[in-house]
């Protein structure tokens, strides 16, 4: 019984990941709920984006449902660069990156890469060349009462 509980707990844990900005106030939570990849965002522990579906449908497969969370990788970004046509030309950019790998029922993978700085969140899809993508399925679900 204990062994079965441990396997169930590990399986549930493996279906979620979190990445924060360098100051830890901005947080992105990524999980799979009923086979659908979702993400949510909090700032100083207040919800600013509720569970919102991720994924897309392509002519090579459906990457929006029947998905399994199969891996994650974290990376820190710390870059300094110059832009000569803006007021503050020396830019110091810091962010944390989370790459989440999902697998569909045809065993095809996609990565969703989140990058979170202290003020911004960005994400992008990355996949092997299976073919042309057709329809995006990403949505934003804002809370009914937003207080930040």
């Amino acid at each position: 019984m204990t062994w079965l509980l441990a396997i169930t707990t590990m399986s549930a844990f493996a279906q979620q990941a979190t990445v924060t900005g360098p100051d830890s106030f901005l947080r992105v939570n990524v999980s799979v709920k009923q086979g659908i990849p979702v993400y949510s965002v909090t700032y100083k522990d207040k919800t600013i984006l509720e569970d919102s579906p991720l994924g897309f449908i392509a002519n090579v497969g459906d990457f929006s449902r029947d998905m399994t969370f199969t891996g994650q990788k974290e990376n820190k970004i710390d870059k300094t660069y110059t832009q000569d046509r803006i007021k503050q030309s020396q830019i110091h950019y810091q962010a944390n990156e989370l790459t989440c790998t999902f697998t569909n029922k045809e065993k095809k993978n996609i990565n969703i890469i989140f990058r979170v700085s202290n003020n911004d969140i960005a994400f992008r899809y990355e996949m092997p060349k299976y073919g042309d993508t057709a329809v995006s399925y990403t949505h934003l679900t804002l809370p009914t009462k937003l207080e930040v």
Side-chain angles (χ1 to χ4, degrees), residues 104-144:
N104 70 4
K105 63 183 176 182
E106 289 89 27
K107 304 294 183 211
K108 293 180 179 174
N109 292 334
I110 62 165
N111 291 328
I112 304 176
I113 300 149
F114 289 87
R115 193 175 277 191
V116 182
S117 70
N118 289 337
N119 303 308
D120 302 303
I121 298 169
F123 70 88
R124 65 186 169 96
Y125 296 101
E126 179 182 85
M127 65 185 285
K129 181 76 173 160
Y130 297 126
D132 297 328
T133 57
V135 179
S136 178
Y137 185 73
T138 302
H139 295 267
L140 301 176
T141 308
L142 299 173
T144 54

Coordinates of all heavy atoms in Angstrom, one line a residue, residues 104-144:
N104 N 2.2 13.8 -26.8 CA 0.8 13.5 -27.1 C 0.6 12.0 -27.2 O 1.5 11.2 -27.0 CB 0.3 14.3 -28.3 CG 1.0 13.8 -29.6 OD1 1.7 12.8 -29.7 ND2 0.7 14.5 -30.7
K105 N -0.7 11.7 -27.5 CA -1.0 10.2 -27.6 C -0.3 9.5 -28.7 O -0.2 8.3 -28.7 CB -2.5 10.0 -27.6 CG -3.2 10.5 -28.8 CD -4.7 10.3 -28.6 CE -5.5 11.0 -29.8 NZ -6.9 10.8 -29.6
E106 N 0.2 10.2 -29.7 CA 0.9 9.6 -30.8 C 2.4 9.5 -30.5 O 3.2 9.2 -31.4 CB 0.7 10.4 -32.1 CG -0.6 10.2 -32.7 CD -1.6 11.3 -32.2 OE1 -1.2 12.4 -31.9 OE2 -2.8 11.0 -32.2
K107 N 2.8 9.9 -29.2 CA 4.2 9.8 -28.8 C 5.1 10.9 -29.4 O 6.3 10.7 -29.6 CB 4.8 8.4 -28.9 CG 4.0 7.3 -28.2 CD 4.0 7.5 -26.7 CE 3.3 6.4 -26.1 NZ 2.6 6.7 -24.9
K108 N 4.4 12.0 -29.9 CA 5.2 13.1 -30.4 C 5.4 14.2 -29.4 O 4.5 14.5 -28.6 CB 4.5 13.7 -31.6 CG 4.4 12.7 -32.8 CD 3.7 13.4 -34.0 CE 3.7 12.4 -35.2 NZ 2.9 12.9 -36.3
N109 N 6.6 14.7 -29.3 CA 6.9 15.7 -28.2 C 6.8 17.2 -28.7 O 7.1 17.4 -29.9 CB 8.4 15.5 -27.8 CG 8.5 14.2 -27.0 OD1 7.6 13.7 -26.5 ND2 9.7 13.7 -27.0
I110 N 6.5 18.0 -27.8 CA 6.7 19.5 -28.0 C 7.3 20.0 -26.7 O 7.1 19.4 -25.6 CB 5.4 20.2 -28.3 CG1 4.4 20.1 -27.1 CG2 4.8 19.9 -29.6 CD1 3.3 21.2 -27.2
N111 N 8.1 21.1 -26.8 CA 8.6 21.8 -25.7 C 7.9 23.1 -25.6 O 7.6 23.8 -26.6 CB 10.1 22.1 -25.8 CG 10.9 20.8 -25.7 OD1 10.6 19.9 -25.0 ND2 12.0 20.8 -26.4
I112 N 7.6 23.5 -24.4 CA 7.1 24.9 -24.2 C 8.1 25.5 -23.2 O 8.4 25.0 -22.1 CB 5.7 24.9 -23.5 CG1 4.7 24.1 -24.4 CG2 5.2 26.3 -23.4 CD1 3.3 24.0 -23.9
I113 N 8.7 26.6 -23.7 CA 9.8 27.3 -23.0 C 9.3 28.6 -22.4 O 8.9 29.5 -23.2 CB 11.0 27.5 -24.0 CG1 11.4 26.1 -24.5 CG2 12.1 28.2 -23.2 CD1 12.0 26.2 -25.9
F114 N 9.3 28.7 -21.1 CA 8.9 29.9 -20.4 C 10.1 30.6 -20.0 O 11.1 30.0 -19.5 CB 8.1 29.5 -19.1 CG 6.7 29.0 -19.4 CD1 6.5 27.6 -19.7 CD2 5.6 29.8 -19.5 CE1 5.3 27.1 -19.9 CE2 4.4 29.3 -19.7 CZ 4.2 28.0 -20.0
R115 N 10.1 31.9 -20.1 CA 11.2 32.8 -19.6 C 10.5 33.9 -18.7 O 9.6 34.6 -19.2 CB 11.9 33.4 -20.8 CG 13.2 34.1 -20.4 CD 14.0 34.6 -21.5 NE 14.8 33.5 -22.2 CZ 15.7 33.7 -23.1 NH1 15.9 34.9 -23.5 NH2 16.3 32.7 -23.6
V116 N 11.0 33.9 -17.5 CA 10.4 34.8 -16.5 C 11.5 35.7 -15.9 O 12.4 35.3 -15.3 CB 9.7 34.0 -15.3 CG1 9.0 35.0 -14.4 CG2 8.7 33.0 -15.9
S117 N 11.3 37.0 -16.1 CA 12.2 38.0 -15.5 C 11.4 38.6 -14.3 O 10.3 38.1 -13.9 CB 12.6 39.1 -16.5 OG 11.4 39.9 -16.8
N118 N 11.9 39.7 -13.7 CA 11.2 40.3 -12.6 C 9.9 41.0 -13.1 O 9.0 41.2 -12.3 CB 12.1 41.3 -11.8 CG 13.1 40.6 -11.1 OD1 13.0 39.4 -10.7 ND2 14.2 41.3 -10.8
N119 N 9.8 41.4 -14.3 CA 8.7 42.2 -14.8 C 7.9 41.5 -16.0 O 6.9 42.0 -16.4 CB 9.2 43.5 -15.3 CG 9.9 44.3 -14.2 OD1 9.4 44.4 -13.1 ND2 11.1 44.7 -14.5
D120 N 8.5 40.5 -16.6 CA 7.9 39.9 -17.8 C 7.8 38.4 -17.8 O 8.6 37.8 -17.2 CB 8.8 40.4 -19.0 CG 8.9 41.9 -19.1 OD1 7.9 42.5 -19.2 OD2 10.1 42.3 -19.1
I121 N 6.9 37.9 -18.6 CA 6.8 36.5 -18.9 C 6.7 36.3 -20.4 O 5.9 37.1 -21.0 CB 5.5 35.9 -18.2 CG1 5.6 36.0 -16.7 CG2 5.3 34.4 -18.6 CD1 4.3 35.7 -16.0
A122 N 7.4 35.4 -20.9 CA 7.3 35.0 -22.3 C 7.3 33.5 -22.4 O 7.9 32.8 -21.6 CB 8.4 35.6 -23.1
F123 N 6.7 33.0 -23.5 CA 6.8 31.5 -23.7 C 6.7 31.3 -25.2 O 6.2 32.1 -26.0 CB 5.8 30.7 -22.9 CG 4.4 30.8 -23.4 CD1 3.9 30.0 -24.4 CD2 3.5 31.7 -22.8 CE1 2.6 30.1 -24.8 CE2 2.2 31.8 -23.2 CZ 1.7 31.0 -24.2
R124 N 7.3 30.2 -25.6 CA 7.3 29.8 -27.0 C 7.2 28.3 -27.1 O 7.5 27.6 -26.2 CB 8.5 30.3 -27.8 CG 9.8 29.7 -27.3 CD 11.0 30.4 -28.0 NE 12.2 30.1 -27.4 CZ 13.0 29.1 -27.8 NH1 12.7 28.4 -28.9 NH2 14.2 28.8 -27.2
Y125 N 6.7 27.9 -28.3 CA 6.6 26.4 -28.6 C 7.8 26.0 -29.4 O 8.3 26.8 -30.3 CB 5.4 26.1 -29.3 CG 4.1 26.4 -28.6 CD1 3.3 27.5 -28.8 CD2 3.6 25.5 -27.6 CE1 2.2 27.8 -28.1 CE2 2.5 25.7 -26.9 CZ 1.7 26.9 -27.2 OH 0.6 27.1 -26.5
E126 N 8.3 24.8 -29.1 CA 9.4 24.3 -29.9 C 9.1 22.8 -30.2 O 8.7 22.1 -29.2 CB 10.7 24.4 -29.1 CG 12.0 23.9 -29.7 CD 13.1 24.0 -28.7 OE1 13.3 23.1 -27.9 OE2 13.9 25.0 -28.9
M127 N 9.3 22.4 -31.4 CA 9.0 21.0 -31.7 C 9.9 20.5 -32.9 O 10.3 21.4 -33.7 CB 7.5 20.8 -32.1 CG 7.1 21.5 -33.3 SD 5.3 21.3 -33.6 CE 5.1 19.7 -34.2
P128 N 10.1 19.2 -32.9 CA 10.8 18.7 -34.1 C 10.0 19.0 -35.4 O 8.8 19.2 -35.3 CB 10.9 17.2 -33.8 CG 10.7 17.0 -32.4 CD 9.8 18.2 -32.0
K129 N 10.7 18.9 -36.5 CA 10.0 19.1 -37.8 C 9.1 17.9 -38.1 O 9.5 17.0 -38.7 CB 11.0 19.4 -38.9 CG 10.4 19.7 -40.2 CD 9.9 21.1 -40.3 CE 9.5 21.3 -41.7 NZ 8.6 22.4 -41.9
Y130 N 7.8 18.0 -37.7 CA 6.8 17.0 -38.0 C 6.0 17.4 -39.3 O 5.5 16.6 -40.0 CB 5.8 16.8 -36.9 CG 6.4 16.3 -35.6 CD1 6.2 16.9 -34.4 CD2 7.1 15.1 -35.6 CE1 6.7 16.5 -33.2 CE2 7.6 14.6 -34.4 CZ 7.4 15.3 -33.2 OH 7.9 14.8 -32.0
G131 N 5.9 18.7 -39.5 CA 5.1 19.3 -40.6 C 4.7 20.7 -40.3 O 5.2 21.3 -39.3
D132 N 3.8 21.2 -41.0 CA 3.3 22.6 -40.8 C 2.3 22.6 -39.7 O 1.4 21.8 -39.6 CB 2.7 23.2 -42.1 CG 3.7 23.3 -43.2 OD1 4.9 23.5 -42.9 OD2 3.3 23.1 -44.4
T133 N 2.4 23.7 -38.8 CA 1.4 23.8 -37.8 C 0.2 24.6 -38.4 O 0.3 25.4 -39.3 CB 1.9 24.6 -36.6 OG1 2.4 25.8 -37.0 CG2 3.0 23.8 -35.9
A134 N -1.0 24.3 -37.8 CA -2.2 24.9 -38.4 C -3.0 25.9 -37.5 O -3.3 27.0 -37.9 CB -3.2 23.8 -38.9
V135 N -3.2 25.5 -36.3 CA -4.1 26.3 -35.4 C -3.5 26.4 -34.0 O -3.0 25.4 -33.4 CB -5.5 25.6 -35.2 CG1 -6.4 26.4 -34.3 CG2 -6.2 25.4 -36.6
S136 N -3.5 27.6 -33.5 CA -3.0 27.8 -32.1 C -4.1 27.6 -31.2 O -5.3 27.8 -31.5 CB -2.4 29.3 -32.0 OG -2.0 29.5 -30.6
Y137 N -3.8 27.1 -30.0 CA -4.8 26.8 -29.0 C -4.6 27.5 -27.7 O -5.3 27.2 -26.7 CB -4.9 25.2 -28.8 CG -6.0 24.8 -27.9 CD1 -7.3 24.8 -28.4 CD2 -5.7 24.3 -26.6 CE1 -8.3 24.4 -27.5 CE2 -6.8 23.9 -25.8 CZ -8.1 23.9 -26.3 OH -9.0 23.5 -25.5
T138 N -3.6 28.3 -27.6 CA -3.3 29.0 -26.3 C -4.4 30.0 -25.9 O -4.8 30.8 -26.8 CB -1.9 29.7 -26.4 OG1 -1.0 28.7 -26.7 CG2 -1.6 30.3 -25.1
H139 N -4.8 30.1 -24.7 CA -5.8 31.0 -24.2 C -5.3 31.7 -22.9 O -4.5 31.1 -22.2 CB -7.1 30.3 -23.9 CG -7.8 29.7 -25.1 ND1 -8.7 30.4 -25.8 CD2 -7.6 28.5 -25.7 CE1 -9.1 29.6 -26.8 NE2 -8.5 28.5 -26.7
L140 N -5.8 32.8 -22.6 CA -5.6 33.5 -21.3 C -6.9 33.5 -20.6 O -8.0 33.8 -21.1 CB -5.2 35.0 -21.5 CG -3.9 35.2 -22.4 CD1 -3.8 36.7 -22.6 CD2 -2.8 34.6 -21.7
T141 N -6.9 33.1 -19.3 CA -8.0 33.1 -18.4 C -7.7 34.0 -17.3 O -7.0 33.6 -16.3 CB -8.4 31.7 -17.9 OG1 -8.4 30.8 -19.1 CG2 -9.7 31.6 -17.2
L142 N -8.3 35.2 -17.3 CA -8.0 36.2 -16.3 C -9.0 36.0 -15.1 O -10.2 35.6 -15.3 CB -8.2 37.6 -16.8 CG -7.3 38.0 -17.9 CD1 -7.6 39.3 -18.5 CD2 -5.8 38.0 -17.4
P143 N -8.6 36.2 -13.9 CA -9.5 36.1 -12.8 C -10.6 37.1 -12.9 O -10.5 38.2 -13.4 CB -8.6 36.3 -11.5 CG -7.3 36.8 -12.0 CD -7.3 36.6 -13.5
T144 N -11.8 36.7 -12.3 CA -12.9 37.7 -12.3 C -12.7 38.9 -11.5 O -13.2 40.0 -11.8 CB -14.2 37.0 -11.9 OG1 -14.0 36.4 -10.6 CG2 -14.6 35.9 -12.8

